[in-house]
Amino acid sequence: DLQWVDGAKEALKLAHDSGYELIVVTNQSGVARGYYKETDVQILHDYMGNELFKAGAPILHFYYCPHHKDGNCRKPKPGMILQAIKDFDVDVEHSFLIGDSQRDVDAAEAAGVKGYLFTESNLLHFMKKILKH
């Protein structure tokens, strides 16, 4: 039932073609609440990763927080982002995060990464504006 945001695959390809590595950080509290299992999250991430690879936008790594409220990794806490920075020696000054909630932006900024709140309808148009700066 996955539905891609309009322009998502193209936006990620553009970022990758512009020299950015792509890392996903996502809250998955449905695991803690019993809605689905971690294996289901992995199946989704594998599917997304394969689709994005075919689109020319390979995902370097998927990080997810399976906790509900108390997880140290759960956004707006920066745990997953800090782990990605450590694991992949991310150049924080030249990196950014796009999220669809304020907690995403707050987590990015707490990790020293520029955060952008996506509230538009087309991610490619949004990405072009970010990369222009």
Side-chain angles (χ1 to χ4, degrees):
D1 295 339
L2 173 68
Q3 293 184 6
W4 294 94
V5 169
D6 288 341
K9 292 179 185 179
E10 299 85 356
L12 293 172
K13 181 181 184 321
L14 176 62
H16 183 262
D17 290 349
S18 297
Y20 289 93
E21 297 285 352
L22 307 174
I23 298 173
V24 174
V25 292
T26 177
N27 288 343
Q28 294 295 329
S29 66
V31 173
R33 292 187 274 176
Y35 297 155
Y36 44 85
K37 298 178 182 180
E38 287 191 66
T39 53
D40 298 319
V41 174
Q42 188 60 52
I43 290 168
L44 176 63
H45 288 170
D46 288 347
Y47 173 77
M48 291 174 65
N50 287 333
E51 290 294 303
L52 290 167
F53 180 81
K54 289 189 284 189
I59 301 299
L60 186 59
H61 194 75
F62 286 87
Y63 291 89
Y64 70 94
C65 177
H67 307 107
H68 182 40
K69 293 182 180 178
D70 298 326
N72 287 332
C73 55
R74 184 169 174 76
K75 295 178 288 179
K77 295 177 183 170
M80 289 184 286
I81 300 167
L82 292 171
Q83 189 63 53
I85 291 167
K86 179 181 174 187
D87 290 348
F88 295 101
D89 195 26
V90 172
D91 179 355
V92 173
E93 186 178 333
H94 296 102
S95 298
F96 62 92
L97 179 142
I98 297 173
D100 64 356
S101 75
Q102 187 59 47
R103 70 178 164 264
D104 298 326
V105 174
D106 292 346
E109 292 178 355
V113 174
K114 177 66 180 159
Y116 294 94
L117 182 60
F118 175 67
T119 59
E120 300 177 18
S121 61
N122 188 296
L123 190 57
L124 179 58
H125 299 154
F126 190 74
M127 182 70 75
K128 285 179 178 179
K129 287 187 248 178
I130 292 171
L131 294 178
K132 196 174 193 178
H133 299 306

